[in-house]
Amino acid sequence: MHHIYKNGYINDNQYGFTPQKSTTDAAMAVKEFSEPELVKGKVAIMVSLDVQRAFNAAWWPAILKGLRDAECPRDLYQLTQDYFRERRETLSFNGSTLEKTITKGCPQGSCCGPRLWNIQYNSLLTLRYTKHIKVIVFADDMVIMTKADSIREAENITNVELSKISKWAVNNKIRFNEHKSKVMLLTRRNRKERQEIDIYLNNKTLTQLQCMKYLGIIFDYKLTFKEHINYMAEKCTKLIFTLSKSAKLYWGLGHTALKTIYTGGILPLLLYGAPVWENAIYKASHKAKLTRVQRLINIKVAKAYRTVSRTDPYSHKNSETSQLYHLTKSNRGDEVLFDQTIGVKDWQHPAETITILMDSNESTSSTQIFIDGSKSDQGVGAGIAIFRLGKHFKNIQYRLNK
């Protein structure tokens, strides 16, 4: 994986099992591709494809071809090749044992399985698509986004590009399930026009929806995220009412336990994917629903009566989460607001990892390094003193970013 990331082989639209990427990033990519088109009065189509048997369908020759395309070093290629050789499945039942040689599938629960899947799927992401198309993948969860000026144009482009994907699936021994795959038309136009679209997969028409759940976030056809907020509010409210059975005013769970449940269980549910639907929180009706959920749990935490006045608005926490996401993901050129995470391409090779000695009495190392930090009105500083063979060698001082 170090070789693959170092050389930028994995496509940027693969978000699953990839360092420094998350489900929120994939959902943001869907939103950023389609929302500007809706604002301009154009349309978009979102197709969600379901892979039949998913990781069990990974075809080994396709994975090995991906490694060759990535110019994988010979020793690592042969190691992977040997890893696949002579693998067998065993089924024991009612005193009988059945064995079968297998030729596909990534071992479940293995460290390399998901990465090997990414290598095979990478060839799908690098197909020659039209500029109107964007394929976004998180592991095996894939959506095809199409933008166009009209519904019929978007429909035609989507069908043409899906034929390419179907051909790729045949060549790589993978099958997309047309019964579980769905399609949704995204539009904010009020004009009278036919909004039923015919999108085909395996020569069958896909079911068209008004709302589609992708990576835990519900996208509606206008990208208002109303259904997602309703779903979250209802789910958390049921959880709070279930919790209230053991959190009465004078007995049951105490303040600390309830606060832990709130911060560790309910708040993450409310804030999941917040950067994707952050603008929806400013609508009064949506804001009121989420604030009500927060008030319900805070009353339980405070052991207060239900008539107590409201607490700090939930929207503050939502805004904080969204702003932090945008700050850490934004690229501001030479302007660095805080320490940035090292890019995957610049990661150190695993064999060159420096061993850090934590024991102050360690005598086997010829080099000792001592560090300290200080904070003043001018900023935060770090000092380093290096000793080699017991003699003072060098001092280093850094001034850290604010």
Side-chain angles (χ1 to χ4, degrees), residues 233 236-248 253-268 270 289-306 308-309 311-312 314:
C236 290
T237 301
K238 289 180 180 178
L239 183 61
I240 293 170
F241 284 147
T242 303
L243 184 66
S244 64
K245 297 177 182 179
S246 57
K248 298 300 181 180
L253 295 174
H255 303 284
T256 305
L258 290 170
K259 185 178 180 181
T260 301
I261 293 173
Y262 169 63
T263 56
I266 296 176
L267 196 57
L270 292 173
K289 290 177 182 177
L290 296 176
T291 303
R292 176 179 176 271
V293 173
Q294 185 198 30
R295 183 176 181 275
L296 285 174
I297 185 61
N298 281 350
I299 287 176
K300 297 297 179 183
V301 173
K303 297 286 186 177
Y305 292 99
R306 60 183 177 86
V308 74
S309 60
T311 58
D312 291 336
Y314 158 81

Side-chain angles (χ1 to χ4, degrees), residues 168-273:
W168 176 91
V170 171
N171 294 335
N172 287 268
K173 312 297 182 185
I174 284 179
R175 178 176 175 81
F176 293 107
N177 191 337
E178 64 274 8
H179 301 294
K180 293 185 178 180
S181 299
K182 308 297 180 183
V183 62
M184 179 173 65
L185 174 67
L186 303 173
T187 179
R188 292 177 181 173
R189 303 200 294 202
N190 295 322
R191 68 183 72 171
K192 290 184 178 180
E193 57 184 341
R194 179 174 172 268
Q195 295 193 353
E196 291 76 22
I197 54 177
D198 296 321
I199 304 299
Y200 298 96
L201 179 66
N202 301 332
N203 296 321
K204 295 183 180 179
T205 307
L206 297 183
T207 303
Q208 184 176 352
L209 304 175
Q210 295 292 311
C211 297
M212 186 181 293
K213 191 173 185 179
Y214 180 62
L215 300 176
I217 299 177
I218 300 176
F219 291 83
D220 56 85
Y221 72 100
K222 288 187 177 181
L223 290 186
T224 62
F225 297 100
K226 175 182 177 181
E227 296 299 325
H228 180 71
I229 291 176
N230 290 340
Y231 169 77
M232 281 195 312
E234 183 180 355
K235 184 176 181 179
C236 290
T237 301
K238 289 180 180 178
L239 183 61
I240 293 170
F241 284 147
T242 303
L243 184 66
S244 64
K245 297 177 182 179
S246 57
K248 298 300 181 180
L249 194 61
Y250 296 108
W251 60 271
L253 295 174
H255 303 284
T256 305
L258 290 170
K259 185 178 180 181
T260 301
I261 293 173
Y262 169 63
T263 56
I266 296 176
L267 196 57
L269 286 176
L270 292 173
L271 295 177
Y272 175 72

Side-chain angles (χ1 to χ4, degrees), residues 26-38:
M28 280 294 293
V30 172
K31 176 188 173 185
E32 290 172 354
F33 179 86
S34 54
E35 189 172 46
E37 305 304 316
L38 303 190

Side-chain angles (χ1 to χ4, degrees), residues 89-100:
E89 285 182 325
T90 302
L91 174 65
S92 298
F93 179 75
N94 199 22
S96 301
T97 301
L98 177 65
E99 286 192 358
K100 181 182 179 181

